[in-house]
Amino acid sequence: SSVKNIETFHDAVLHHSVICVHKGTSTAELLDRDFHNGNFLPTLSETEIFENVLNGKCQVAAVTVNSFELYKETTEGSCDLEVRGGMYSHHQDGIATSVDSGIFCSSLIGHTFDYWMMKMAADGFIEKAWNDHVEKLSSITCADDVTQDDYEFTLEDIGSIFLLHTFLSLVALVLGIS
């Protein structure tokens, strides 16, 4: 099918275009549920999705906006990729809140994340952090001067992780007792 005729995700399904999806993700599950007759090609990574589109195995990539932007910023030869149409779906999910059922006030985790994420978005922190991340990755070189020390955790890093885990365990214990 011709990519020129595809302007929306529905067009891609209607034209029986090969659509690359990252196998086992919530995006793959959503699309399979909504378009069970879609011509999906499961991949093992988002990088493989983009490579398949560039080499013609797929006409459409079902990926997040962030992964598309990051790939375009960090990969040679990605200039031929473009976004067509709008976002198919905006859904919230994540491993941190996947067991937060919202029953018996257990939605505290989700509400807390929502509050802090909205506050960070309003302050511009999320956009700045994302831009810094993309900038850092887009300037990566394969020089031999990278040392193993650049990737080691410090005692402060590990201590912070344990403090956070202890705090969240105490919150869960208090909520479990009450």
Side-chain angles (χ1 to χ4, degrees), residues 137-157:
L137 292 179
S138 64
S139 62
I140 290 177
T141 60
C142 298
D144 292 334
D145 62 346
V146 177
T147 64
Q148 183 64 27
D149 294 339
D150 293 339
Y151 301 103
E152 292 181 4
F153 284 112
T154 65
L155 186 58
E156 185 178 312
D157 295 330

Side-chain angles (χ1 to χ4, degrees), residues 19-105:
I19 302 166
C20 279
V21 295
H22 191 172
K23 181 179 181 178
T25 62
S26 60
T27 300
E29 291 172 11
L30 172 76
L31 295 175
D32 188 49
R33 184 188 69 226
D34 292 355
F35 303 99
H36 58 278
N37 61 341
N39 190 9
F40 298 113
L41 177 64
T43 65
L44 299 177
S45 70
E46 287 189 334
T47 302
E48 185 181 355
I49 291 173
F50 295 116
E51 290 170 355
N52 285 345
V53 171
L54 288 170
N55 69 25
K57 286 185 182 177
C58 297
Q59 287 82 42
V60 176
V63 294
T64 64
V65 173
N66 287 344
S67 64
F68 175 75
E69 290 174 358
L70 188 60
Y71 188 82
K72 290 262 309 185
E73 289 289 327
T74 60
T75 308
E76 290 269 338
S78 63
C79 296
D80 293 337
L81 298 174
E82 65 179 326
V83 174
R84 295 261 182 109
M87 185 182 315
Y88 171 70
S89 173
H90 180 121
H91 58 280
Q92 298 175 341
D93 71 323
I95 194 163
T97 59
S98 62
V99 295
D100 187 14
S101 65
I103 303 171
F104 305 117
C105 298

Side-chain angles (χ1 to χ4, degrees), residues 2-20:
S2 173
V3 176
K4 294 177 183 175
N5 297 330
I6 299 173
E7 289 300 324
T8 66
F9 199 82
H10 294 279
D11 291 343
V13 173
L14 184 67
H15 288 88
H16 305 290
S17 300
V18 178
I19 302 166
C20 279

